[in-house]
Amino acid sequence: MKIVKYEDIVLKVKLACLQMTTDLPQDVQNKLEMMAMQEDGQLAKQMLDIIIENANIARQENRPMCQDTGMVVCFVKMGQNIQIEGGLLADAINEGVSLGYEEGYLRKSVVNNPIDRINTLDNTPAIIHYDIVEDDVLIIEVAAKGFGSENMSQLKMFPPAAGIAGMKEFVKQVVIDAGPNPCPPIIVGIGLGGDFEKAALLAKKAAIRNLDEVNPNEKLLALEKELEVEINNLGIGPQGFGGKTTTLKVNIEMFATHIAGLPVAVNINCHAARHIKVVL
Amino acid sequence: MATIKLETPLTIDKIKDLHSGDQVLLSGIIYTGRDAAHKRFIEVLEKNEDLPFDVQGQVIYYVGPTPTKPNQAFGSGGPTTSYRMDAYTPPLINKGLIGMIGKGKRNDEVKAALKGHAVYFAAVGGAAALMGKCVIKAEVIAYEDLQAEAVRRLEVKDLPLIVVNDIKGNDLYVEGPQSYLKEHK
């Protein structure tokens, strides 16, 4: 049995909020720089240079890289042998978010519900997903998800006959429909299989996955690479002005599904792909 | 590619030669407004009351900035996605609004309203730290209760923009990808 203190979770989540909104993760920065070198459109190259310069200013001057500092999404991986002392895990996460968004002068973009739309003033509640695992680990993957890209996401329940070809066409159509709106270059997170809500959850996991992570499933890895090339051949380019760099990476997460179904969810993330791993 | 320097307030004469794809550095006074403020603008117009500022010759920037830190003029402020303002835009253009700054596609009604009357610029989505630094002075002039969505008067210096929809009816979001694909077959 390992004991984790409530206050430690609050503090680490707070620091994660402060860091991820001003310090673009290195995996994303590296990929942007690589794509900027390969970009052959003139305006497109300039847009990528501005995006990289912006990330550098944000890091050096401790300014949020994007004004949409997002809604916080957490994927919690908690061992069965962890005991949290001092309060509820969700409360600790929300308290960390509240403190981080206040201290960092981050934008509070959360409203209480879609009908009354009253700002909660501290960017809570965060959206929290739990995964109970073995041992005594407690890992919280924290992401700040902007809604310019979130609004361009889609889900479709295909019949199995649609196959991978149908899935690929759908993914590309989602990217075409989104066009300039989600601030390309984007990260395309795909959830394949499961049921309706599982597909969406997988897509979110894929959208915030570290870009350096190599998919251990060879079929998925090949599919990710194929889709990356095909999406970058669409010509949408950085900011949708035309160019080679439409996506930085395609990530796919997969799960078992029903004999009658082929759920496909596409969750788009912008180039300000803010994600950070908190280990307690 | 040449960069064009523009000063607000704008006139048809100043924008008539702008072409989609042109890069612009905008200086002067501009106003902010996004979803909630636009909803109120239209409610005001429907009641035949005055808008919080005269939009004639003015530019609205679709932005909800981060809170301003002490010792800074402005927080981070990049563009928000413009289509959410589409329904509210033609009546504002009819009132004399001459420029909009945002990101993303506009609908056919907005594009028709722009033709001959106003220009739609894109700012670089997500480059909010860089653009926030172009703001020299900011003050809330209306709807303070909307916080990030309140209407602000901004004084900007060399705000980097790209012309998307010029007054001649060109659209960079259509022509940009098309010409890229044509050149890189």
Side-chain angles (χ1 to χ4, degrees):
Chain A
M1 183 71 71
K2 184 178 158 188
I3 292 173
V4 176
K5 287 195 181 127
Y6 180 93
E7 305 83 65
D8 290 345
I9 302 169
V10 173
L11 180 67
K12 285 209 169 178
V13 170
K14 180 187 97 167
L15 293 174
C17 292
L18 291 170
Q19 188 184 334
M20 71 180 167
T21 48
T22 52
D23 184 1
L24 185 69
Q26 204 56 51
D27 56 310
V28 184
Q29 176 106 10
N30 290 346
K31 194 69 194 267
L32 276 167
E33 284 170 3
M34 195 187 98
M35 299 298 259
M37 301 230 303
Q38 294 170 2
E39 179 58 66
D40 50 10
Q42 194 195 356
L43 186 57
K45 170 87 169 65
Q46 283 179 330
M47 293 302 112
L48 291 174
D49 288 345
I50 288 179
I51 288 166
I52 293 164
E53 190 189 342
N54 179 67
N56 293 337
I57 291 173
R59 190 177 295 114
Q60 284 154 15
E61 301 187 15
N62 198 29
R63 287 172 181 260
M65 69 195 78
C66 180
Q67 79 290 339
D68 184 356
T69 45
M71 194 164 186
V72 175
V73 181
C74 294
F75 282 94
V76 176
K77 200 180 268 185
M78 183 167 159
Q80 298 198 91
N81 298 330
I82 290 275
Q83 189 187 332
I84 293 164
E85 202 178 80
L88 281 177
L89 176 57
D91 291 346
I93 291 173
N94 281 319
E95 199 175 321
V97 170
S98 176
L99 290 170
Y101 273 69
E102 190 55 39
E103 198 171 301
Y105 289 82
L106 306 177
R107 199 179 78 185
K108 287 80 180 172
S109 311
V110 176
V111 293
N112 65 335
N113 67 55
I115 298 169
D116 301 322
R117 305 199 73 86
I118 297 165
N119 199 300
T120 62
L121 300 178
D122 67 353
N123 221 50
T124 66
I127 292 172
I128 310 172
H129 306 290
Y130 302 94
D131 197 4
I132 305 300
V133 297
E134 282 187 275
D135 299 329
D136 55 5
V137 294
L138 180 55
I139 298 168
I140 309 173
E141 286 203 60
V142 188
K145 189 66 177 64
F147 258 56
S149 56
E150 195 69 5
N151 280 340
M152 295 296 113
S153 303
Q154 295 187 41
L155 187 150
K156 193 157 180 174
M157 304 299 284
F158 282 99
I164 291 307
M167 168 268 199
K168 280 175 70 178
E169 280 316 300
F170 174 60
V171 172
K172 282 190 274 180
Q173 196 55 52
V174 172
V175 174
I176 291 167
D177 291 347
N181 294 7
C183 298
I186 53 175
I187 294 158
V188 182
I190 301 169
L192 197 55
D195 61 355
F196 188 82
E197 86 283 1
K198 182 75 176 177
L201 197 58
L202 292 171
K204 172 70 72 219
K205 262 190 186 172
I208 65 166
R209 200 169 81 192
N210 190 300
L211 303 188
D212 294 335
E213 243 176 68
V214 179
N215 202 318
N217 181 315
E218 277 179 32
K219 279 187 189 167
L220 291 185
L221 181 64
L223 203 49
E224 287 172 354
K225 286 186 173 162
E226 266 173 53
L227 270 167
E228 186 177 321
V229 170
E230 288 174 32
I231 288 169
N232 284 332
N233 282 338
L234 294 172
I236 296 167
Q239 302 295 312
F241 300 150
K244 194 191 224 172
T245 317
T246 302
T247 184
L248 295 176
K249 180 88 198 291
V250 177
N251 285 335
I252 308 177
E253 294 281 331
M254 189 162 72
F255 196 74
T257 191
H258 189 276
I259 48 172
L262 172 54
V264 182
V266 184
N267 192 207
I268 297 181
N269 204 355
C270 55
H271 60 78
R274 292 149 290 186
H275 58 84
I276 194 163
K277 197 181 265 188
V278 170
V279 181
L280 283 135
Chain B
M1 215 177 291
T3 303
I4 300 152
K5 289 212 171 204
L6 273 183
E7 288 262 0
T8 63
L10 298 179
T11 58
I12 290 294
D13 203 45
K14 285 188 193 173
I15 65 167
K16 69 179 188 328
D17 296 326
L18 291 179
H19 194 272
S20 66
D22 282 349
Q23 287 175 273
V24 169
L25 293 174
L26 186 73
S27 298
I29 300 294
I30 61 172
Y31 294 87
T32 73
R34 47 172 287 162
D35 309 52
H38 273 76
K39 191 162 174 259
R40 292 192 190 178
F41 291 162
I42 297 311
E43 285 164 6
V44 163
L45 287 180
E46 278 169 358
K47 284 189 242 164
N48 272 324
E49 290 170 5
D50 284 342
L51 289 165
F53 64 97
D54 183 3
V55 295
Q56 181 66 42
Q58 300 302 334
V59 177
I60 296 181
Y61 184 14
Y62 303 144
V63 60
T66 59
T68 304
K69 286 184 183 174
N71 315 320
Q72 284 179 355
F74 197 58
S76 293
T80 196
T81 324
S82 307
Y83 72 90
R84 299 193 315 270
M85 271 55 76
D86 279 353
Y88 309 120
T89 298
L92 294 173
I93 295 174
N94 288 340
K95 281 274 171 191
L97 181 71
I98 200 165
M100 284 129 274
I101 305 167
K103 66 163 165 107
K105 292 176 272 194
R106 309 309 303 259
N107 69 13
D108 290 342
E109 287 75 21
V110 173
K111 286 191 223 173
L114 286 167
K115 225 171 163 181
H117 298 102
V119 59
Y120 171 52
F121 301 99
V124 182
L130 185 145
M131 278 177 290
K133 289 184 73 174
C134 300
V135 178
I136 303 165
K137 208 175 147 196
E139 68 175 313
V140 173
I141 59 156
Y143 313 150
E144 197 161 8
D145 59 301
L146 297 179
Q147 295 127 27
E149 295 199 59
V151 175
R152 290 168 170 82
R153 181 191 286 119
L154 307 183
E155 187 183 342
V156 297
K157 176 96 177 100
D158 293 337
L159 189 70
L161 307 173
I162 297 96
V163 177
V164 174
N165 296 100
D166 58 34
I167 66 168
K168 295 162 273 187
N170 297 303
D171 185 349
L172 182 62
Y173 291 137
V174 175
E175 289 132 27
Q178 270 174 6
S179 70
Y180 175 83
L181 288 175
K182 218 168 139 189
E183 285 163 25
H184 296 83
K185 256 183 190 162

